[in-house]
Amino acid sequence: MSADAAYCFGLLHDIGRYAGVSSEKHLIDGYRFCMERGWEKAAQICISHAFMIQDIRTSIGTFDVSEEEYRFMDDFIRNAVYDDYDRLVQLCDSLALPDGFCILEKRFVDVALRYGTVPVMAKRWKKTLEIREMFEKKTGVSVYQVLPEAVKL
């Protein structure tokens, strides 16, 4: 993996928020923004970062998109080939709050308080923990050793 590419993908994953306050619409807005510039992988991550499980029904947000956009996203998610960049952004997105890094469980509670505990929540948490374990095996180090400030009492 390229550290520079991973960093750029991390910075761009929520670029769709430029269009204003939205729920799942920011995913497609970010996708379009990146595709207009020829940034195909960044465009994919604008959508994939929200779907660690490749099933649109595992969304916790509101689909404030057209029916055509919904169908596009559904097809895109089902057929995307995720790689370590997709997974890294998914993990990193789950390790942060507005005031900095945090342990995954703290982020899980934050999201549950904001969105409610939808039936797929536990499956999403389990998948995120699996992604963390995958990167810890690849690196031979705990995520929390790399981000010690995430562990706050």
Side-chain angles (χ1 to χ4, degrees):
M1 292 182 75
S2 161
D4 289 338
Y7 180 71
C8 289
F9 296 146
L11 290 176
L12 290 170
H13 82 279
D14 270 341
I15 193 69
R17 299 243 183 246
Y18 83 92
V21 177
S22 66
S23 185
E24 301 303 63
K25 187 174 186 309
H26 85 280
L27 307 174
I28 194 87
D29 287 342
Y31 174 85
R32 286 186 183 124
F33 181 93
C34 292
M35 286 301 287
E36 287 169 3
R37 287 154 180 81
W39 306 336
E40 291 183 26
K41 186 61 186 179
Q44 176 173 313
I45 289 173
C46 285
I47 295 177
S48 71
H49 82 272
F51 295 96
M52 56 282 297
I53 300 170
Q54 289 185 252
D55 181 342
I56 201 165
R57 296 170 299 177
T58 64
S59 169
I60 57 173
T62 302
F63 280 97
D64 46 354
V65 298
S66 69
E67 182 62 34
E68 180 182 338
E69 291 168 325
Y70 181 89
R71 284 191 307 271
F72 171 81
M73 289 174 62
D74 182 30
D75 184 62
F76 187 89
I77 293 159
R78 277 187 285 107
N79 293 300
V81 177
Y82 287 6
D83 62 19
D84 285 352
Y85 292 111
D86 296 274
R87 297 292 184 203
L88 183 61
V89 174
Q90 291 166 347
L91 177 62
C92 290
D93 201 32
S94 298
L95 286 165
L97 290 170
D99 60 342
F101 298 114
C102 66
I103 62 171
L104 289 174
E105 292 81 1
K106 187 172 182 179
R107 174 73 167 157
F108 293 166
V109 170
D110 168 72
V111 171
L113 290 173
R114 286 188 290 125
Y115 292 96
T117 52
V118 295
V120 299
M121 195 70 79
K123 289 179 183 177
R124 290 173 54 92
W125 292 347
K126 183 178 178 189
K127 184 64 177 181
T128 303
L129 293 170
E130 289 172 7
I131 294 168
R132 183 193 71 196
E133 291 170 11
M134 178 194 78
F135 279 107
E136 288 177 342
K137 284 181 183 173
K138 285 178 179 264
T139 62
V141 65
S142 165
V143 166
Y144 302 121
Q145 286 177 287
V146 177
L147 303 171
E149 60 273 23
V151 184
K152 298 175 188 171
L153 298 178

